[in-house]
Amino acid sequence: MTHRTLIKDLSALPDGPVTVAGWVETVRDQKKVQFVVLRDESGALQLVNPATREIAEDVEDAAAAASALALTETISGLSLGTFITVTGELKHDERVKLGGLEVKVGTLEVAGASLPEAPIAADSSLDKRLDYRWLDLRQPKNALIFRIQTTLEHAWRTWWVGNGFVEIHTPKLMESPSESRAELFQLDYFDLGTAYLAQSPQHFKQMAQAAGFGKVFEISPVFRADPSFTSRHATEFISVDAEISWIDSYEDVISMQEQLLAAGLAAVKAKHGDEIRELFGIEVEVPQVPFPRIPLAEVHELLKSERGYTVPREDGDLDPEGERQISAYVKEKYGHDFVFVTDYPANIRPYYHMRDPETGLTKSYDLIYNGTEITTGAQREHRIDELLANAKDKGLDPAGIGEYLEFFKYGIPPHGGFGMGLARVLMLLLGESSIRETTLLFRGPTRLAP
Amino acid sequence: MTHRTLIKDLSALPDGPVTVAGWVETVRDQKKVQFVVLRDESGALQLVNPATREIAEDVEDAAAAASALALTETISGLSLGTFITVTGELKHDERVKLGGLEVKVGTLEVAGASLPEAPIAADSSLDKRLDYRWLDLRQPKNALIFRIQTTLEHAWRTWWVGNGFVEIHTPKLMESPSESRAELFQLDYFDLGTAYLAQSPQHFKQMAQAAGFGKVFEISPVFRADPSFTSRHATEFISVDAEISWIDSYEDVISMQEQLLAAGLAAVKAKHGDEIRELFGIEVEVPQVPFPRIPLAEVHELLKSERGYTVPREDGDLDPEGERQISAYVKEKYGHDFVFVTDYPANIRPYYHMRDPETGLTKSYDLIYNGTEITTGAQREHRIDELLANAKDKGLDPAGIGEYLEFFKYGIPPHGGFGMGLARVLMLLLGESSIRETTLLFRGPTRLAP
């Protein structure tokens, strides 16, 4: 291993020899002195080199002078983006704006040169930036997103593991379309015919309840073949899923999810709060538990009475503007970034959401975060007769859901769960305008690369 | 939430009222007394009920007698596998073989009934068991595998996060085939033509090095379309991947991987060592670091001189028997379950493995665990001219690897990494005969369900 010091760790070191490595962010090639800003995954550092532009005829140490000239020429020739390793002398100096320190270059080795012309700049269009996403990700703000993601996921998994959940990996290749065929990618699968890419792990995480696993979680890719071009949809995205047995109502799922989110955001604030304030201008809010809950019917009334907004949909569901408005209402009224909207009518929920026998409403919810839905959750219908009745009520052919029903036949406890889009959570946490910014390598109907 | 007590926690409770929930494993319906073995995800418990077979004409409390009769009849009618909730009286009794305690049933509620005939038994064929995998997973031994998996992955991620790695989620839908087309599933992707399912995240985890991420990891599904029917191959499996920058040689990758494995196995032994001994008859070995390393050429010599085995392959690679033999040799000689076999010749390695300019051998390795390969790792060739030369040497068309080469053009540091099959590690840790046993829901050329 190159025994380099991460740039963020330099400030704690005394003046003296160090080795650093990273890529060239800027070069200021002045006549008498050269400055390079070197960046690594932890920060940026000023390198300085007194320029040697020619070798005096009467020089005492000709070899040293030739070496100094070569170093100057190497620095003059550095393309931005080139990866280099530098050994030199660290010096703390309060006058240096960049962190109050600099490294005087001793030796400089080019580890991976860049072409001279960078294909994108910080102000390139989003689409152009995504064409060269690996360069776009060198921007400190963009790189930070994925360190935040790392912290968030690890905090979630730690919460789950600490609460007795089992991590599962469910197949992404499925024999039968679980729901709407329109949303499914298809492929030829050996001699078995067509396979479908999973649009959600739900089928399998319910199966894990029939297996008696009790509580499970999974963070994994899912695939949607319907062409969506909004800032919050992707063809392939990471779904954060959990499913638990022995629930009395969807309230048990909600309770689990709000604790999970609070634990995750607390970890993000503790580890990255300062950087997020600096680079995104945002103060991370750790939400109070319990989050507000409002039945959908009441949401519609509040939107009318408190916000003067009537949702222009006939099916009774919320539209994006309705989500923004109820979120704004909750923020004003309760100071909360999250709101659970509950008790959706059956006509806008899938057949496998359990229905309340008295109201006919489903025992389901959406979770809205800073104005946008990030989750659908529900108690599932685990009674096979009711499942069939619900499916029939929706006009579904029971034969089409046969594989799904199979694992309900040999015993399954009451259960429920949720799915949550990882990139959406990050987008809304950081105030970004699109999940394209919070997805490592976005996939959409017009983008399959890089 | 049903306020149930997990069965494993009962032994710490005093005699008195408890609620438990799980599925019916056995029913012994004797004339005067009924016994039910109830299992949940944590253990098994004996329920007992004094049978009431008829209501005496002169009974004092007719309602209580009717209730007792109904309970007896419910228990008599329980199908195995049915999920039930039971409230009753816990009693510690050393004469009870199953954990030294039993619960006398007060009320019993059927939460999810099973059909009367179980479609599989413990001695069903593997293929039959996999047809009803959700029932097969109720076997304590099978369920334990996935709690071990949870612990192992969490220990790995904790190690990575503690060592400054970034968790990435790379796309599984790719525009171009990265290597051999024969191994790739294809699908129609909107108007963009054909997409391929990733057979490895390698392309993208290298891209993250060009992005300056430094150290990354990912645990994610990958897909192989070549028909393999061995006990250690699957069409879809979970790949455990890491990639790090600024390495001097593959030795840096090896060093990271052996620390990771030792940390994971230590966590498994600490949390599940007793259960593994009981259910698998295996003592978990936490490997000493460093693991033995042997160059491939020396492995061939040792196989001949020490084991009398000549590998019957012309290309110089090891065969499965060679892996078993060298593993046995290392176990005998060093008492170690792992061995890194290093320095593979270029003809049996892909073009992107860095070659040693003096020997021509690649800077790559395989890791063998208890007789079977679980990993290929390498320092990657990050210099674009050498990459092209290697590709040409292999007879590859440079146009076919154009997208792969793109992100080498704008600077990339020296780097390397490994990929490791999760189900193989579990199979070899637990002495199982096939990854079908250590995969939640196996996918192979003849299996796409459940």
Side-chain angles (χ1 to χ4, degrees):
Chain A
M1 212 74 189
T2 302
H3 289 289
R4 63 176 178 137
T5 302
L6 285 176
I7 289 170
K8 75 173 164 66
D9 296 332
L10 289 174
S11 64
L13 295 186
D15 286 1
V18 293
T19 298
V20 290
W23 65 94
V24 175
E25 196 166 81
T26 64
V27 177
R28 241 185 329 138
D29 195 7
Q30 299 176 352
K31 191 172 178 205
K32 299 215 164 166
V33 62
Q34 298 173 306
F35 296 100
V36 173
V37 173
L38 180 77
R39 185 173 287 282
D40 71 10
E41 63 268 39
S42 75
L45 167 71
Q46 178 164 290
L47 305 175
V48 60
N49 183 51
T52 298
R53 299 294 177 182
E54 56 183 7
I55 302 181
E57 285 183 16
D58 59 346
V59 72
E60 278 185 34
D61 186 341
S67 170
L69 179 66
L71 175 59
T72 299
E73 287 175 350
T74 297
I75 292 175
S76 295
L78 283 175
S79 300
L80 304 189
T82 293
F83 282 78
I84 60 175
T85 305
V86 169
T87 297
E89 287 292 316
L90 171 68
K91 193 180 162 194
H92 291 262
D93 182 343
E94 287 186 1
R95 293 168 301 173
V96 180
K97 283 184 191 166
L98 197 58
L101 46 79
E102 65 182 14
V103 167
K104 182 161 175 287
V105 179
T107 63
L108 185 156
E109 189 189 337
V110 171
S114 171
L115 289 179
E117 294 292 325
I120 55 166
D123 62 351
S124 295
S125 72
L126 175 57
D127 211 48
K128 188 78 189 283
R129 286 198 284 116
L130 294 189
D131 285 343
Y132 295 90
R133 181 62 162 164
W134 66 94
L135 299 178
D136 186 47
L137 289 169
R138 290 188 192 168
Q139 295 292 330
K141 191 175 166 179
N142 295 341
L144 176 58
I145 293 170
F146 298 94
R147 287 191 289 118
I148 294 167
Q149 175 179 285
T150 304
T151 300
L152 187 61
E153 289 186 61
H154 194 61
W156 285 343
R157 293 198 190 95
T158 300
W159 190 91
W160 276 320
V161 170
N163 283 279
F165 284 65
V166 174
E167 178 163 10
I168 58 173
H169 297 288
T170 65
K172 305 309 156 196
L173 294 169
M174 299 177 72
E175 185 179 44
S176 61
S178 52
E179 269 184 87
S180 134
R181 271 167 203 268
E183 294 190 353
L184 292 171
F185 286 107
Q186 305 184 13
L187 49 92
D188 290 336
Y189 192 87
F190 302 106
D191 296 333
L192 297 182
T194 300
Y196 301 88
L197 290 186
Q199 60 175 338
S200 146
Q202 189 183 325
H203 177 89
F204 300 116
K205 64 182 183 166
Q206 289 193 259
M207 197 182 284
Q209 308 312 305
F213 275 30
K215 297 185 275 191
V216 301
F217 72 90
E218 177 171 24
I219 299 180
S220 68
V222 295
F223 308 89
R224 303 278 166 98
D226 54 321
S228 280
F229 295 90
T230 79
S231 62
R232 54 185 187 158
H233 288 93
T235 300
E236 175 179 353
F237 63 92
I238 297 299
S239 183
V240 178
D241 281 90
E243 195 82 15
I244 54 180
S245 282
W246 301 110
I247 65 173
D248 288 328
S249 87
Y250 62 77
E251 175 62 28
D252 298 317
V253 183
I254 282 179
S255 169
M256 181 255 292
Q257 191 176 7
E258 64 190 2
Q259 290 178 66
L260 185 80
L261 280 162
L265 291 173
V268 167
K269 188 179 180 75
K271 190 157 182 181
H272 307 289
D274 293 342
E275 295 169 286
I276 292 173
R277 193 181 308 111
E278 187 188 334
L279 293 179
F280 289 89
I282 280 176
E283 191 65 37
V284 176
E285 300 273 348
V286 180
Q288 289 288 317
V289 172
F291 299 179
R293 295 122 160 87
I294 312 178
L296 178 62
E298 198 179 315
V299 167
H300 281 295
E301 282 167 25
L302 286 167
L303 289 180
K304 275 183 219 162
S305 62
E306 302 289 327
R307 312 288 299 182
Y309 182 70
T310 303
V311 177
R313 284 179 66 132
E314 291 187 0
D315 63 4
D317 207 352
L318 289 181
D319 62 347
E321 180 59 23
E323 293 175 359
R324 277 188 289 275
Q325 291 286 347
I326 193 62
S327 199
Y329 167 81
V330 166
K331 182 72 179 174
E332 277 176 27
K333 177 110 177 173
Y334 305 106
H336 213 287
D337 295 336
F338 291 88
V339 56
F340 286 107
V341 178
T342 65
D343 301 278
Y344 281 69
N347 66 303
I348 50 175
R349 290 306 216 196
Y351 71 96
Y352 49 78
H353 283 190
M354 186 179 273
R355 300 177 186 182
D356 184 306
E358 289 179 24
T359 63
L361 299 173
T362 62
K363 298 185 177 182
S364 74
Y365 68 89
D366 276 6
L367 175 57
I368 298 172
Y369 177 31
N370 286 338
T372 297
E373 179 250 308
I374 56 170
T375 286
T376 294
Q379 175 162 7
R380 321 299 182 188
E381 183 53 77
H382 67 287
R383 298 161 299 181
I384 200 161
D385 293 342
E386 280 74 4
L387 259 176
L388 278 167
N390 289 356
K392 203 173 158 192
D393 182 47
K394 294 250 174 210
L396 293 175
D397 176 7
I401 57 172
E403 195 195 336
Y404 178 71
L405 294 179
E406 193 61 26
F407 63 80
F408 289 83
K409 291 180 181 168
Y410 301 96
I412 186 166
H415 63 280
F418 70 82
M420 176 165 65
L422 177 59
R424 281 201 195 180
V425 175
L426 288 165
M427 172 180 83
L428 297 161
L429 167 62
L430 299 171
E432 290 287 276
S433 60
S434 169
I435 59 170
R436 289 159 181 77
E437 300 277 8
T438 55
T439 302
L440 188 75
L441 292 160
F442 178 76
R443 293 290 183 260
T446 59
R447 178 169 291 282
L448 183 55
Chain B
M1 210 77 190
T2 303
H3 290 289
R4 64 177 178 136
T5 300
L6 285 177
I7 290 170
K8 74 174 163 65
D9 296 331
L10 289 174
S11 63
L13 294 185
D15 286 3
V18 292
T19 299
V20 290
W23 65 94
V24 174
E25 197 168 81
T26 64
V27 177
R28 231 172 352 125
D29 196 7
Q30 299 175 355
K31 189 169 179 208
K32 301 216 163 166
V33 63
Q34 299 175 302
F35 295 100
V36 173
V37 172
L38 179 78
R39 185 173 286 283
D40 70 10
E41 63 269 39
S42 75
L45 167 72
Q46 179 164 291
L47 306 175
V48 62
N49 183 53
T52 299
R53 299 294 177 185
E54 56 183 8
I55 302 181
E57 285 182 16
D58 59 347
V59 72
E60 280 186 31
D61 186 341
S67 169
L69 180 65
L71 176 59
T72 299
E73 286 176 350
T74 297
I75 292 174
S76 294
L78 283 175
S79 301
L80 304 189
T82 293
F83 282 78
I84 60 175
T85 305
V86 169
T87 297
E89 288 290 317
L90 172 68
K91 191 179 164 198
H92 291 263
D93 182 344
E94 287 185 2
R95 292 168 302 174
V96 180
K97 282 185 192 166
L98 198 57
L101 44 80
E102 66 182 13
V103 167
K104 179 162 178 286
V105 179
T107 63
L108 184 156
E109 189 189 336
V110 171
S114 172
L115 290 179
E117 293 292 325
I120 55 168
D123 62 350
S124 296
S125 72
L126 175 58
D127 210 47
K128 189 79 189 283
R129 286 198 285 116
L130 294 189
D131 285 343
Y132 295 90
R133 180 62 162 163
W134 66 94
L135 299 177
D136 185 47
L137 289 169
R138 290 187 193 168
Q139 295 292 329
K141 190 175 167 180
N142 295 341
L144 175 59
I145 293 171
F146 299 94
R147 289 192 288 118
I148 294 167
Q149 174 178 286
T150 304
T151 300
L152 187 60
E153 289 188 60
H154 195 60
W156 285 342
R157 293 198 189 96
T158 300
W159 190 91
W160 276 319
V161 169
N163 283 278
F165 283 65
V166 174
E167 177 162 10
I168 58 173
H169 297 289
T170 65
K172 304 309 157 198
L173 294 169
M174 299 176 73
E175 186 179 42
S176 61
S178 53
E179 271 183 83
S180 136
R181 273 168 204 269
E183 293 190 354
L184 291 170
F185 286 107
Q186 304 184 13
L187 49 93
D188 289 336
Y189 192 86
F190 302 107
D191 296 334
L192 297 182
T194 300
Y196 301 88
L197 289 185
Q199 60 175 336
S200 144
Q202 189 183 326
H203 177 90
F204 300 116
K205 64 183 181 164
Q206 290 193 260
M207 197 182 283
Q209 309 311 306
F213 275 30
K215 296 185 276 192
V216 301
F217 72 89
E218 178 171 21
I219 299 180
S220 69
V222 295
F223 308 90
R224 304 277 167 98
D226 54 319
S228 280
F229 296 88
T230 79
S231 63
R232 54 185 185 158
H233 289 94
T235 300
E236 176 179 353
F237 63 93
I238 297 298
S239 181
V240 178
D241 280 90
E243 195 82 17
I244 53 178
S245 283
W246 302 110
I247 65 172
D248 288 328
S249 88
Y250 63 77
E251 175 62 29
D252 298 317
V253 183
I254 283 178
S255 170
M256 181 254 293
Q257 190 176 6
E258 65 191 2
Q259 290 177 65
L260 185 80
L261 281 163
L265 292 173
V268 167
K269 187 179 181 76
K271 191 159 183 180
H272 307 290
D274 292 343
E275 294 169 287
I276 293 172
R277 193 181 308 111
E278 188 188 333
L279 293 178
F280 290 88
I282 280 177
E283 192 64 38
V284 176
E285 299 273 347
V286 180
Q288 289 289 317
V289 171
F291 299 0
R293 294 123 161 88
I294 312 179
L296 178 61
E298 200 178 314
V299 167
H300 281 295
E301 281 168 25
L302 286 167
L303 289 180
K304 275 182 220 163
S305 62
E306 302 289 326
R307 313 288 298 184
Y309 182 69
T310 303
V311 177
R313 284 178 67 131
E314 291 188 1
D315 63 6
D317 207 351
L318 289 180
D319 62 347
E321 180 59 22
E323 293 176 4
R324 278 189 288 274
Q325 291 286 347
I326 192 64
S327 199
Y329 168 81
V330 166
K331 184 73 180 173
E332 277 176 26
K333 175 109 178 174
Y334 304 106
H336 212 288
D337 294 335
F338 291 88
V339 56
F340 286 108
V341 178
T342 66
D343 301 278
Y344 282 69
N347 67 301
I348 51 175
R349 291 306 215 194
Y351 71 97
Y352 50 77
H353 282 190
M354 187 179 271
R355 299 178 185 182
D356 184 306
E358 288 179 24
T359 64
L361 298 173
T362 62
K363 298 183 177 184
S364 74
Y365 68 88
D366 276 7
L367 175 58
I368 298 172
Y369 177 32
N370 286 339
T372 296
E373 179 251 306
I374 58 170
T375 285
T376 295
Q379 175 162 9
R380 319 301 181 186
E381 182 54 75
H382 67 288
R383 298 161 300 180
I384 200 162
D385 292 343
E386 279 75 3
L387 260 175
L388 278 167
N390 288 356
K392 204 174 156 189
D393 183 47
K394 293 252 175 207
L396 292 175
D397 177 6
I401 56 173
E403 195 196 336
Y404 179 70
L405 294 179
E406 193 62 24
F407 63 81
F408 289 82
K409 291 181 180 169
Y410 302 96
I412 187 165
H415 63 279
F418 70 81
M420 175 164 67
L422 177 59
R424 281 201 196 180
V425 175
L426 288 164
M427 171 181 83
L428 296 160
L429 167 62
L430 299 171
E432 290 287 275
S433 61
S434 168
I435 59 170
R436 289 159 182 77
E437 300 277 8
T438 54
T439 302
L440 188 75
L441 293 160
F442 178 76
R443 293 291 181 260
T446 58
R447 179 169 290 282
L448 184 55

